[in-house]
Amino acid sequence: MKLIYLHGVGDGDISQGWFKALNKSLAEEGMPTIDSSDVIAPKYSDLLSSMDSEESIPKVTVNGEKSDRSVERAQFVSRQIEAARAVGADPSVRSLGFPLPDFDAPDAALGAIAKAVPGWLFADEIKQIQAYVHRRGLRGAVLTRVLEAIPKRGEIVIVGHSLGSVVTVDVLSRLPRHVSVRRVVTIGSPANSGLFAVSRDELIGNFPYATTNSWLNFFSGQDPVTRGRGLASVFSDVQDFRVDIGVIGHGSTAYLRRKPVARAVGNAFHQSALTPRRTTKVTTALTDDTAALILELHFRYAVREAISDQKLKARFTEATRIKRQDLVAQIREADAAGVPIPRELHQLTEGTTPQVPNYWSTTSIIEQLTILAFSDLTTPFEIDIADCGFKALPIIAEQIGLTRTFGETLADAIRTFNGRMTKLAKPGTNWQKWAIAGAGVAVIAIAPIGLIALAPAGVAGAAAMTGGLAA
């Protein structure tokens, strides 16, 4: 196992302040430190400052044509969930940042950053960034040097800081075929900027899902280079975490002093797990509750499909990933306690999304979908998805073997119902949350016209919606 550190602009952190900060944080966490003999930190600042650095860009080594990319991606997402859980348990870490507009003129924006943080990012370092982006031969020289330093086989953990995170983006799809990445940890990454779109788009098309265990990205609201945002808005499979580095800044030392960042590096370096942890496979029959969990997961994916705004979709995708992460953790806890669980939930822990079971009658599926359409699927992230819950009904209806027309009819009935109830409710009252969250009231939609009535709920504390909508 080797730790690969890819530095940002400047001298390449020749004092190794990043490494000292990492080991200090690991020791404070009671985790084993990392020996310097296991660290590979290629220096390329001389190339960034030279006008003579010219090499061909190394070829991509990922061959997606010979593999099932959709299966590999699903397995990668499952591993991401497990990797993020240990980090996300720290209350000082928030996995969702806030959206900011991209720079209209990225090169000019670098100068604005330099002025905002005087003495930190100097003119020579700005030139290094611009040279890496605009000079193809220099980019090839940097990648060639980095790849020459990486072992030809075995497992590695990559930490990429600042421009080094962009080098990481370029390197991932060009690694030797017998090298697998136990974890990528990027810190202070500017790769969300349009300045690095070429590198980003190239990786998205060639991402090595099968040989990359997980990728966690840490950014700070006080870091002007990240612009207070992560990478999930441009590459949805990255797991973002927002951390507080204390002051306005960008240094690798400031990030690696944060225990969640050190933990992300340390537990990957010291634990062997390229494949997801499996459950015991002790099964039981599907129940109402577990069938509803699977339907809810599929409904979330249908809502995601219904969201047209790409930045909003990225944030909702992130929230859904975290929800799935929590569900998988609960399944594993139950399994470890010896509780038999349905086969479909075992599949979920292995990175496969089980199909929606043929479990409900037409009336019951209307009931389930009506509940989901009115449910707040974004708590506690406060993401406004507007009426995308209604828009998702035709999508999910088609997926579960009904027709798109059926879903559209149900959506129309629910909209009518919602409109009438909103008029009847007192100003400021959110009757949907009141009805669904356990106020002892069930809402009944009768027939396609959406006639409204209120009745006592059948189960105390968990109000249900029942539908008499004709097929």
Side-chain angles (χ1 to χ4, degrees):
M1 170 61 67
K2 294 295 180 182
L3 174 63
I4 312 297
Y5 176 74
L6 302 179
H7 65 78
V9 295
D11 63 9
D13 196 3
I14 56 177
S15 67
Q16 288 201 311
W18 71 271
F19 184 56
K20 296 170 186 174
L22 171 61
N23 271 342
K24 182 179 179 182
S25 297
L26 290 175
E28 290 173 353
E29 283 286 278
M31 298 179 67
T33 57
I34 298 173
D35 193 275
S36 60
S37 63
D38 291 322
V39 175
I40 298 172
K43 299 292 189 292
Y44 39 84
S45 53
D46 61 312
L47 300 177
L48 295 171
S49 303
S50 171
M51 294 302 296
D52 301 323
S53 305
E54 293 289 333
E55 292 278 356
S56 298
I57 293 180
K59 293 182 179 180
V60 170
T61 55
V62 176
N63 188 348
E65 295 179 359
K66 294 184 178 180
S67 60
D68 188 336
R69 298 273 291 169
S70 62
V71 172
E72 289 177 354
R73 182 175 182 271
Q75 293 171 342
F76 173 79
V77 169
S78 179
R79 296 193 298 268
Q80 281 282 78
I81 291 166
E82 188 166 358
R85 186 168 181 80
V87 177
D90 190 318
S92 68
V93 178
R94 287 178 288 175
S95 58
L96 290 178
F98 51 90
L100 289 177
D102 201 355
F103 294 132
D104 294 327
D107 287 334
L110 291 172
I113 290 173
K115 291 179 182 178
V117 192
W120 167 69
L121 192 60
F122 300 101
D124 288 344
E125 291 157 322
I126 292 173
K127 289 179 181 177
Q128 289 181 2
I129 294 175
Q130 292 171 329
Y132 183 83
V133 172
H134 298 305
R135 288 176 48 199
R136 185 176 177 85
L138 183 147
R139 182 167 162 241
V142 171
L143 295 179
T144 298
R145 181 174 292 183
V146 170
L147 289 168
E148 286 175 348
I150 292 174
K152 301 306 179 188
R153 59 180 60 247
E155 284 190 285
I156 61 175
V157 172
I158 302 178
V159 176
H161 170 243
S162 190
L163 181 63
S165 72
V166 182
V167 177
T168 300
V169 168
D170 287 331
V171 161
L172 269 178
S173 59
R174 296 177 168 86
L175 290 171
R177 295 185 185 278
H178 298 294
V179 169
S180 56
V181 182
R182 193 175 291 180
R183 180 164 299 158
V184 175
V185 178
T186 45
I187 52 179
S189 177
N192 54 49
S193 169
L195 187 63
F196 304 105
V198 172
S199 296
R200 229 174 32 227
D201 294 345
E202 187 177 73
L203 178 63
I204 290 172
N206 298 287
F207 190 81
Y209 290 111
T211 55
T212 303
N213 192 58
S214 58
W215 182 350
L216 307 183
N217 177 64
F218 295 86
F219 66 100
S220 168
Q222 290 89 5
D223 186 342
V225 172
T226 69
R227 296 171 299 130
R229 64 191 288 187
L231 300 182
S233 62
V234 293
F235 185 53
S236 62
D237 290 327
V238 176
Q239 179 75 53
D240 279 330
F241 289 95
R242 186 180 179 198
V243 294
D244 182 3
I245 60 174
V247 295
I248 294 175
H250 175 66
S252 57
T253 300
Y255 275 99
L256 287 161
R257 282 188 185 131
R258 303 299 300 152
K259 292 181 176 60
V261 183
R263 238 188 351 257
V265 178
N267 65 28
F269 186 88
H270 293 296
Q271 294 176 9
S272 178
L274 189 58
T275 56
R277 182 160 50 93
R278 298 187 180 276
T279 49
T280 61
K281 297 294 183 68
V282 178
T283 62
T284 186
L286 204 63
T287 64
D288 290 349
D289 290 340
T290 51
L293 285 174
I294 296 168
L295 179 63
E296 179 188 339
L297 186 59
H298 279 271
F299 186 76
R300 286 179 181 276
Y301 293 142
V303 170
R304 181 182 64 184
E305 186 176 335
I307 298 173
S308 57
D309 183 277
Q310 292 305 307
K311 291 183 178 178
L312 183 64
K313 179 177 289 190
R315 294 189 71 212
F316 183 79
T317 298
E318 184 80 356
T320 297
R321 183 179 295 138
I322 294 168
K323 293 285 188 180
R324 177 168 175 157
Q325 160 192 332
D326 289 340
L327 176 57
V328 168
Q330 292 174 38
I331 293 169
R332 288 196 169 120
E333 287 172 7
D335 180 72
V339 177
I341 57 178
R343 176 182 58 84
E344 290 83 357
L345 297 191
H346 284 290
Q347 289 179 318
L348 201 58
T349 66
E350 296 169 6
T352 302
T353 302
Q355 293 183 342
V356 178
N358 184 15
Y359 189 82
W360 298 277
S361 65
T362 300
T363 299
S364 296
I365 197 64
I366 291 170
E367 174 185 327
Q368 295 292 325
L369 293 179
T370 304
I371 292 171
L372 289 170
F374 280 123
S375 295
D376 184 353
L377 301 175
T378 66
T379 300
F381 303 110
E382 298 182 1
I383 304 170
D384 184 8
I385 61 172
D387 65 343
C388 289
F390 297 158
K391 292 179 180 178
L393 290 172
I395 299 171
I396 190 70
E398 201 167 37
Q399 290 176 356
I400 61 179
L402 299 171
T403 65
R404 197 172 186 89
T405 301
F406 181 97
E408 291 167 351
T409 303
L410 178 59
D412 289 343
I414 294 175
R415 282 193 180 96
T416 302
F417 174 90
N418 184 45
R420 295 183 185 179
M421 277 303 298
T422 300
K423 290 179 181 178
L424 291 173
K426 294 179 180 179
T429 302
N430 188 328
W431 71 265
Q432 296 100 327
K433 288 185 179 179
W434 177 59
I436 295 170
V441 175
V443 181
I444 304 174
I446 304 175
I449 60 172
L451 188 63
I452 303 156
L454 295 177
V459 181
M465 288 189 175
T466 59
L469 183 62

